[in-house]
Amino acid sequence: RMQGHDKGLVLFTGKPLIKQVIDRLTPQIPRILINANRHQHDYAQLGYVVFADTHPDFAGPLAGIAAAFAQTSSDWIITVPCDTPYLPAEYVARMCAAASATRIYVATSSAYLQPTFGLWPRECLPALTTFLAQGNRAMHVFLNEQKAVEVDFSDCDEAFTNINTLNELSQLQNPITVPLVGFVANSGTGKTTLLTKIIPLLRQQGVRIALIKHAHH
């Protein structure tokens, strides 16, 4: 989807995507580890420990999480993907504040579960190892099995904007702004009549118009 480019190393506003995420994480947490299965030398230039999956065949994010526990003696790890440059400034604090038991905690936005944004206890490792050994990869299946707890981040949906294609990358770096004008009034007061007068004037000025009309029916 990124035309062969390593997503974390693609430049966004002049810095690799992963550096954008690291810059947001650094004030929040004392130690950062990078899971990468290729271009490890390039990632190492950022100054952090870089480790590969221990499970074969690039088994996805769950394999990276399993491998992360071998890199630390901590009882918990917290994960973020490398393509979310707008990571919340209080992400770690809110996730940790939600942890009232030894469970997996996963961020959720208004529309979606965000499974790669997780707080993972070491106690889930045996189940995770078994899940992977059985050839399973789907995060949502594992999270359902483990009865993961959702942590609400619906107040900052934009923070979970991720970048999956070069086109999405370009759109985020060069956003198109569209001016909007709204007319709101009671029925029969002349909204449509006014628009039929205004739209021709705007078109004479070379303005392209799109009209959305809302009606109760």
Side-chain angles (χ1 to χ4, degrees), residues 15-84:
K15 291 191 293 187
L17 268 175
I18 191 171
K19 185 63 168 62
Q20 305 276 358
V21 177
I22 287 172
D23 287 348
R24 294 212 167 215
L25 268 180
T26 299
Q28 302 187 48
I29 200 164
R31 188 181 182 205
I32 295 173
L33 304 170
I34 299 174
N35 173 227
N37 293 308
R38 58 176 183 155
H39 303 136
Q40 292 179 329
H41 175 76
D42 294 323
Y43 282 108
Q45 300 305 305
L46 296 168
Y48 299 92
V49 172
V50 180
F51 65 95
D53 294 352
T54 54
H55 193 279
D57 303 324
F58 304 106
L62 287 176
I65 292 165
F69 280 109
Q71 302 295 321
T72 177
S73 60
S74 297
D75 291 331
W76 295 82
I77 61 172
I78 192 164
T79 57
V80 298
C82 68
D83 61 344
T84 50

Side-chain angles (χ1 to χ4, degrees), residues 18-213:
I18 191 171
K19 185 63 168 62
Q20 305 276 358
V21 177
I22 287 172
D23 287 348
R24 294 212 167 215
L25 268 180
T26 299
Q28 302 187 48
I29 200 164
R31 188 181 182 205
I32 295 173
L33 304 170
I34 299 174
N35 173 227
N37 293 308
R38 58 176 183 155
H39 303 136
Q40 292 179 329
H41 175 76
D42 294 323
Y43 282 108
Q45 300 305 305
L46 296 168
Y48 299 92
V49 172
V50 180
F51 65 95
D53 294 352
T54 54
H55 193 279
D57 303 324
F58 304 106
L62 287 176
I65 292 165
F69 280 109
Q71 302 295 321
T72 177
S73 60
S74 297
D75 291 331
W76 295 82
I77 61 172
I78 192 164
T79 57
V80 298
C82 68
D83 61 344
T84 50
Y86 304 126
L87 181 74
E90 71 286 358
Y91 166 66
V92 173
R94 288 175 65 169
M95 292 292 284
C96 291
S100 59
T102 307
R103 302 272 295 278
I104 299 170
Y105 295 83
V106 182
T108 181
S109 60
S110 293
Y112 304 106
L113 189 72
Q114 304 288 343
T116 52
F117 293 85
L119 181 62
W120 306 76
R122 183 172 292 275
E123 289 187 16
C124 79
L125 184 57
L128 177 54
T129 302
T130 300
F131 187 82
L132 290 168
Q134 293 172 343
N136 300 310
R137 300 187 179 190
M139 292 193 76
H140 70 278
V141 174
F142 182 72
L143 293 171
N144 285 337
E145 289 181 356
Q146 297 300 306
K147 296 180 172 56
V149 179
E150 297 183 7
V151 183
D152 183 21
F153 281 85
S154 58
D155 59 315
C156 51
D157 284 348
E158 70 286 348
F160 296 93
T161 299
N162 66 329
I163 300 171
N164 290 314
T165 67
L166 292 180
N167 183 53
E168 289 177 356
L169 181 76
S170 177
Q171 290 177 356
L172 280 178
Q173 291 190 105
N174 305 287
I176 299 173
T177 58
V178 180
L180 304 175
V181 178
F183 294 88
V184 182
N186 293 329
S187 178
T189 54
K191 298 185 300 298
T192 300
T193 301
L194 177 61
L195 286 170
T196 61
K197 303 295 184 181
I198 290 176
I199 288 174
L201 295 175
L202 291 173
R203 293 186 65 182
Q204 290 174 15
Q205 300 298 317
V207 178
R208 296 175 61 193
I209 302 296
L211 174 65
I212 299 174
K213 181 174 180 177

Side-chain angles (χ1 to χ4, degrees), residues 5-17:
H5 299 284
D6 190 320
K7 184 186 291 188
L9 300 174
V10 172
L11 296 182
F12 178 75
T13 63
K15 291 191 293 187
L17 268 175

